[in-house]
Amino acid sequence: MDGKTLRRTPLLCTLLLWAFQVCSGAVTVTVSPQVNVVKDGTATLPCKYTGTKANSIVVAWTVDYEGSRRRLAYKSGEEIKSDDALILKGRATMGADLSLTITKVEPFDELTYWCEVTAGPDGYKDAPTLLKVFHTPETPELKKPTSQAISVTSTSSSEIGTCVTKNALPQPRLIWFKNDQPIPEVKDKFKETYMVPSVVKESSGLFTVQSILYMRPKKEDKDSVFFCKVEYSTLQNTTETKSSGTININLNYPPEKTTFTLLNTPPIKEGDKVEMKCETDGNPQPLFDFSKDTKDIKGEGGLLTLKSVKRTDSGEYICKGTDFDNFDKDLSAKLNLMVHYIDPVVVTPPEAQTVSLGQKVERQCEVKASDKHTLQWKKGSEVLSQDGNLSIDNVGYDQAGDYTCVGAVPSVPGLKANATFTLIVEGKPIIAQPTDGEVPKEGSPVTLKCAAHGEPKPQFTWAPSAKESVEIKGNMIVSTIVLNATADIMKHGVNCTVNNKFGSDFKTIKVSMKDERAFKGSAEVLLSGNPVLKSADMQQGGSSAVVVAVVVCVLLLLLLVGLIYCLNKRTKLPCSKKDKKDMVTGDVNNDIVVEMKTGKTEHDGLLNKKATAEK
């Protein structure tokens, strides 16, 4: 056999061995390449094999631990045993389906696990599964440095803040943001902006990640908002984030200009409290001085307060700031203040006036103000004139009282002034139409009022007299008395007389019973042939007892008349001359009229009047 044949012999043997394995079948192991589980959760690692029908098959789970494989559990035939006393501390078990279950998973359980199958003559095969443990990090905490404010004039970068997140697995990433825009991650300390990260793996196996941001801020960063986010992986192989709170930096920068503003809403009027604010566009604010007409005015910080301004406070105010880093910088500003005013209203003539009834009254008023103004004459809420001239012809008592001239500046709300004069109207007293009195019955007390105009104030005289009380209501004087309604008072009334030095007036106040008209109406309706109950119903305002009494009396009277008529027709009773005088009978349209003289009462009078009319 030559050399070429010898060199080909190993290759042929290899090919024959491969062909034998293909023909006889090879063991194949199938597992999940990676299994994800949360900390303290339960992980199940599946394992299956194919390609062998050997009677003696051993399936084992091992783990890469400290540079070698350590067996955790195995199955031989129907027997399943565990070797997990030291590594997973009894938390790993193997099931009949060959899967490995690990309970209460810890971060340190994140290892590579092997499913190994030994099939005797069919050979040996294994496959790995990586166990990944996840834990969501805490919301990042953002802290500002305890150092003083940062200056834009500094030649080195300053610490902006520190961002920290804890208890994360796997290790997360921290990202800085300024005004919602991410800041590129830079670790070079020679750059103006850079970060200093640090990572700590805690004894629990979880990660604490920290990042410190350094910058050389500019003036534009005085209002910038900084925050950080933690970016982490989830059980579902996605990426999520959590945001920290926000911080602003305390930035010092030199001023460039000064503003002087009025904090009040103009216009300003006398008596107002005025506040003026002076400030620069730098930080911190410099010291300010205030002045007006070259005279210094004391302020507080950048605030100038005038508690109760007068018209003399109008003018130009100046505030000036002092920058100790740049004394030559002009930091002054000016403000013009206008204080509106209105002078007292002048009425001509100014004093109170007494006039006689029917005379004419005239008044004028004027005022000076800082702007266009109006003048109104008013009595109470009634506007009498819009031009400052007041003229009253034929003055009456109701026009006596106080008249006010009101001056106002419409362009300045609340800026008003007024002056008042009193008009007194004198003359003969006049009694207003009085209200009659009513009583339920004769002898009852009744209250009567008598009201009168007059100046000088009139005196009241009552006839008959009674205890009197007097009160003033507006321009009127009201006298009130209480007396008993005697028969004479009900017949003649009560007289009220008023008088002063210019004359007198007289009125009679009637007093009547409340049910008198109701009684008269009922009697007339009954005698005219209308139903009695209808008459009674129409007089609901009168006394119920009186109406019932009247109805009963009339019914009895009608029954008596009917009885006499029947006796006269049927029996033809003779009548004496005396009787004929007392009773007159006659047929007029089948109506009967009877006159009875048993007493002079009001009922009899009504009947007599009705009978006479019918005759």
Side-chain angles (χ1 to χ4, degrees):
M1 184 177 294
D2 57 15
K4 291 183 178 180
T5 303
L6 292 174
R7 287 196 296 269
R8 292 175 179 172
T9 300
L11 177 61
L12 292 174
C13 292
T14 301
L15 291 174
L16 290 173
L17 179 61
W18 176 81
F20 175 78
Q21 290 178 346
V22 169
C23 294
S24 62
V27 177
T28 302
V29 178
T30 304
V31 297
S32 296
Q34 180 174 312
V35 173
N36 296 342
V37 62
V38 295
K39 180 180 177 295
D40 297 322
T42 298
T44 299
L45 285 60
C47 179
K48 294 182 179 179
Y49 66 87
T50 58
T52 180
K53 295 182 180 179
N55 294 326
S56 177
I57 299 175
V58 177
V59 179
W61 277 99
T62 62
V63 59
D64 288 339
Y65 186 75
E66 295 181 350
S68 63
R69 290 190 188 182
R70 303 286 186 88
R71 190 171 69 178
L72 300 175
Y74 67 91
K75 179 182 179 185
S76 178
E78 298 298 326
E79 183 181 16
I80 299 175
K81 289 188 176 182
S82 177
D83 298 327
D84 181 32
L86 298 176
I87 301 176
L88 297 182
K89 301 176 182 179
R91 294 181 290 110
T93 57
M94 186 174 180
D97 60 353
L98 308 182
S99 64
L100 180 68
T101 300
I102 305 174
T103 60
K104 297 181 180 180
V105 174
E106 298 178 359
F108 299 109
D109 297 337
E110 188 173 291
L111 300 168
T112 300
Y113 298 81
W114 295 84
C115 180
E116 302 176 353
V117 177
T118 303
D122 290 335
Y124 165 86
K125 194 70 175 178
D126 61 14
T129 295
L130 176 62
L131 181 63
K132 290 286 292 182
V133 183
F134 292 83
H135 190 267
T136 302
E138 297 177 5
T139 300
E141 182 181 358
L142 186 56
K143 297 179 180 179
K144 293 177 65 174
T146 57
S147 59
Q148 297 179 351
I150 302 171
S151 176
V152 296
T153 59
S154 175
T155 57
S156 60
S157 297
S158 301
E159 181 182 341
I160 303 300
T162 301
C163 181
V164 179
T165 185
K166 298 178 180 180
N167 297 324
L169 194 67
Q171 179 181 325
R173 174 183 173 224
L174 290 176
I175 306 171
W176 280 96
F177 286 80
K178 183 179 80 170
N179 298 330
D180 294 325
Q181 297 299 318
I183 302 175
E185 186 174 1
V186 177
K187 299 180 181 179
D188 187 353
K189 296 182 179 180
F190 294 99
K191 300 294 184 180
E192 289 189 354
T193 300
Y194 63 91
M195 296 87 171
V196 177
S198 63
V199 179
V200 176
K201 189 171 185 179
E202 307 292 348
S203 59
S204 62
L206 302 177
F207 290 95
T208 295
V209 180
Q210 175 180 287
S211 177
I212 304 174
L213 175 64
Y214 289 85
M215 284 182 64
R216 285 184 61 187
K218 299 178 175 58
K219 182 178 179 180
E220 294 75 20
D221 293 319
K222 62 185 178 65
D223 298 319
S224 295
V225 177
F226 294 86
F227 64 96
C228 64
K229 287 184 178 181
V230 58
E231 185 180 81
Y232 59 95
S233 300
T234 67
L235 192 69
Q236 294 77 25
N237 293 320
T238 60
T239 300
E240 294 186 5
T241 61
K242 285 185 177 182
S243 297
S244 70
T246 61
I247 60 171
N248 298 93
I249 57 177
N250 185 10
L251 190 63
N252 288 348
Y253 45 93
E256 296 178 2
K257 63 179 181 178
T258 303
T259 56
F260 198 14
T261 55
L262 178 67
L263 300 184
N264 300 66
T265 301
I268 305 298
K269 64 181 182 296
E270 284 189 318
D272 285 348
K273 178 182 177 181
V274 175
E275 292 182 323
M276 293 172 274
K277 180 71 173 178
C278 189
E279 59 185 348
T280 69
D281 59 348
N283 188 52
Q285 293 295 310
L287 296 177
F288 292 102
D289 296 314
F290 298 94
S291 63
K292 177 181 181 289
D293 299 332
T294 68
K295 294 181 180 179
D296 291 338
I297 306 174
K298 185 178 180 181
E300 185 175 348
L303 185 66
L304 177 61
T305 302
L306 305 178
K307 291 186 177 180
S308 181
V309 294
K310 302 181 290 293
R311 66 190 70 183
T312 54
D313 292 322
S314 297
E316 184 178 77
Y317 290 78
I318 298 175
C319 84
K320 184 177 181 180
T322 302
D323 185 359
F324 291 100
D325 294 328
N326 187 0
F327 285 100
D328 296 331
K329 185 71 174 178
D330 182 13
L331 297 176
S332 62
K334 299 178 181 180
L335 185 150
N336 282 303
L337 179 67
M338 175 61 186
V339 179
H340 289 273
Y341 64 88
I342 187 169
D343 286 340
V345 175
V346 177
V347 176
T348 306
E351 64 276 356
Q353 184 177 3
T354 301
V355 298
S356 298
L357 198 64
Q359 285 187 340
K360 184 176 182 179
V361 175
E362 290 184 334
R363 278 290 191 283
Q364 293 80 37
C365 66
E366 59 183 12
V367 72
K368 292 182 179 180
S370 60
D371 204 351
K372 291 182 179 180
H373 59 275
T374 60
L375 285 170
Q376 287 184 340
W377 275 106
K378 301 176 74 174
K379 186 174 188 291
S381 60
E382 181 184 4
V383 178
L384 305 175
S385 169
Q386 298 277 10
D387 59 2
N389 296 314
L390 176 65
S391 180
I392 306 173
D393 295 323
N394 192 22
V395 67
Y397 284 127
D398 57 342
Q399 290 165 312
D402 292 332
Y403 289 79
T404 302
C405 180
V406 180
V409 180
S411 62
V412 185
L415 186 56
K416 295 181 180 181
N418 60 72
T420 302
F421 86 95
T422 302
L423 178 63
I424 302 171
V425 181
E426 62 180 12
K428 173 186 174 181
I430 300 174
I431 297 177
Q433 183 60 41
T435 301
D436 292 342
E438 289 185 341
V439 293
K441 63 180 180 179
E442 184 180 312
S444 297
V446 62
T447 300
L448 303 178
K449 294 180 181 290
C450 184
H453 289 286
E455 185 66 34
K457 297 295 184 288
Q459 299 293 322
F460 288 82
T461 302
W462 291 88
S465 63
K467 186 176 181 181
E468 177 190 20
S469 63
V470 179
E471 61 179 332
I472 297 176
K473 291 186 177 180
N475 291 330
M476 300 187 72
I477 302 176
V478 182
S479 175
T480 304
I481 63 170
V482 179
L483 42 67
N484 292 328
T486 64
D488 184 66
I489 288 175
M490 297 186 67
K491 181 177 180 181
H492 299 101
V494 178
N495 296 328
C496 175
T497 303
V498 293
N499 62 83
N500 62 12
K501 66 179 182 179
F502 294 104
S504 62
D505 195 11
F506 169 85
K507 290 287 186 201
T508 299
I509 304 175
K510 297 179 181 180
V511 180
S512 61
M513 284 194 295
K514 293 181 181 179
D515 55 71
E516 186 176 274
R517 286 174 293 177
F519 167 76
K520 290 181 179 178
S522 299
E524 289 177 359
V525 171
L526 285 170
L527 293 177
S528 64
N530 291 332
V532 174
L533 293 178
K534 181 178 179 180
S535 174
D537 181 64
M538 293 175 63
Q539 303 298 330
Q540 292 179 3
S543 172
S544 300
V546 174
V547 172
V548 172
V550 171
V551 171
V552 172
C553 291
V554 173
L555 288 174
L556 291 175
L557 183 60
L558 291 175
L559 287 174
L560 180 60
V561 171
L563 180 60
I564 294 172
Y565 175 79
C566 292
L567 291 175
N568 183 54
K569 287 289 186 180
R570 295 182 181 181
T571 62
K572 305 292 185 177
L573 292 175
C575 296
S576 65
K577 292 181 179 181
K578 184 177 180 181
D579 293 331
K580 288 180 181 180
K581 291 181 181 179
D582 292 337
M583 181 175 65
V584 179
T585 62
D587 295 336
V588 181
N589 296 329
N590 295 327
D591 290 337
I592 300 173
V593 180
V594 179
E595 181 180 358
M596 300 182 65
K597 298 181 180 180
T598 59
K600 301 241 177 154
T601 65
E602 186 173 356
H603 295 73
D604 299 332
L606 290 171
L607 291 172
N608 289 339
K609 290 179 182 179
K610 191 71 176 178
T612 302
E614 291 179 355
K615 285 181 180 180

